[in-house]
Amino acid sequence: MIVERIWTGNSYRNYNYLIACPETGEALAIDPLDHEKTLNTARVRGWQITQILNTHEHHDHTGGNAAVVAATGAKVIAHHLAGSSIAGMDRGVRAGDIIKVGKTVELECLDTPGHTMCHICLRSHTEQPALFSGDTLFNAGAGNCHNGGNVVDLYTSFAEQLSKLPDNTQVYAGHDYIENNLKFTLAREPDNAAAKALLPEVSGHDPANTIVTTLGEEKQFNTFLRLTSPGVIAQLRQNFPDLPANPDPQTVFTKLRELRNTW
């Protein structure tokens, strides 16, 4: 499996992705908002885009579909309940469905509601596992629930699915928010050594060439994966004095998301 991360350079700080089969040159485009960069990257690499996967229905992830389909004839894949909100969808997928790319690439669909209720993450069946997490899991952060989402469902997607993936899983998120997210981590857990060490590395970085984190690394500096940390809980109690002595992880996640909404 070959992964090409495409930095759009737009105000939303989107990443688009191409996943290609090295044997056939067939490629899957994930959320190809910047259709020009996506098509040009495929052209330069000698790949043929045969499929598009939208992680969810928001326009900054679907806006390039029509142009890529017009240029390539690619089939559009998304959550099986997203047909009314994603025009021209050809295939609706559910949890456990497999998307094949060429002869060698298999990607498993994870149904991960929360950011929206029709959100798909992709998990690769490869020796080096990868997760294409859309707007559910960000590098050092978590998606918001402002536009059709639900914070309890987002927590459940984290707790019951994403956090249980292998620690060496590489995390390919839908946006570059890592610098700001690490600053939020340090506001919530000032003594977090991993966040302190990484922040200078990504401050003022070129998003086109920034690091790719692993899930194991995320568990060290992503506050939304550190729900039982005494430091996180102690700091949270300063904002929410009525927090129980031993709050459950869902409560911690919900309160962190509430703070992040206005941070």
Side-chain angles (χ1 to χ4, degrees):
M1 179 178 78
I2 305 172
V3 179
E4 188 76 31
R5 183 176 60 179
I6 300 168
W7 168 239
T8 62
N10 65 8
S11 60
Y12 296 109
R13 304 186 69 82
N14 289 80
Y15 282 126
N16 301 165
Y17 294 95
L18 287 171
I19 302 174
C21 169
E23 290 189 13
T24 68
E26 294 177 58
L28 169 76
I30 298 179
D31 295 334
L33 174 65
D34 193 325
H35 60 274
E36 292 181 350
K37 287 184 178 179
T38 298
L39 292 168
N40 185 62
T41 299
R43 189 178 304 114
V44 169
R45 298 295 299 264
W47 296 339
Q48 179 185 6
I49 299 173
T50 58
Q51 300 173 92
I52 296 168
L53 182 282
N54 291 137
T55 57
H56 61 290
E57 67 271 29
H58 289 161
H59 180 73
D60 64 315
H61 293 256
T62 65
N65 284 6
V68 176
V69 170
T72 66
K75 301 298 184 183
V76 177
I77 306 168
H79 191 283
H80 69 102
L81 296 178
S84 62
S85 53
I86 298 179
M89 196 174 91
D90 297 291
R91 179 186 174 190
V93 290
R94 301 171 184 265
D97 285 353
I98 300 296
I99 298 172
K100 294 185 178 181
V101 184
K103 294 181 178 180
T104 62
V105 180
E106 288 192 353
L107 302 163
E108 178 184 350
C109 298
L110 307 179
D111 190 344
T112 52
H115 176 65
T116 75
M117 302 313 289
C118 296
H119 194 293
I120 292 290
C121 293
L122 291 181
R123 175 191 180 188
S124 70
H125 288 180
T126 47
E127 183 176 350
Q128 167 59 67
L131 177 72
F132 299 89
S133 57
D135 285 8
T136 297
L137 169 65
F138 291 130
N139 302 115
N144 66 52
C145 305
H146 300 326
N147 299 297
N150 180 281
V151 69
V152 173
D153 287 291
L154 185 64
Y155 163 74
T156 302
S157 291
F158 267 64
E160 296 185 2
Q161 296 190 73
L162 304 187
S163 66
K164 295 181 179 180
L165 296 176
D167 279 352
N168 66 334
T169 301
Q170 293 179 318
V171 178
Y172 292 98
H175 297 264
D176 168 56
Y177 298 147
I178 189 169
E179 181 177 351
N180 208 33
N181 285 340
L182 287 171
K183 291 177 180 178
F184 178 75
T185 291
L186 290 170
R188 306 315 322 154
E189 193 178 12
D191 293 329
N192 187 301
K196 283 183 177 179
L198 184 57
L199 182 58
E201 184 178 338
V202 301
S203 295
H205 68 297
D206 175 6
N209 298 301
T210 195
I211 63 168
V212 176
T213 66
T214 66
L215 189 60
E217 291 168 336
E218 291 290 329
K219 290 175 181 178
Q220 296 178 46
F221 52 67
N222 188 326
T223 312
F224 294 91
L225 291 167
R226 297 179 57 76
L227 305 178
T228 60
S229 164
V232 170
I233 294 170
Q235 193 78 7
L236 198 61
R237 191 166 283 109
Q238 295 185 22
N239 298 88
F240 303 99
D242 295 335
L243 203 66
N246 295 297
D248 62 274
Q250 179 179 307
T251 297
V252 176
F253 187 99
T254 301
K255 295 300 186 184
L256 286 170
R257 187 59 259 178
E258 182 179 335
L259 291 173
R260 185 67 177 85
N261 289 343
T262 56
W263 188 82

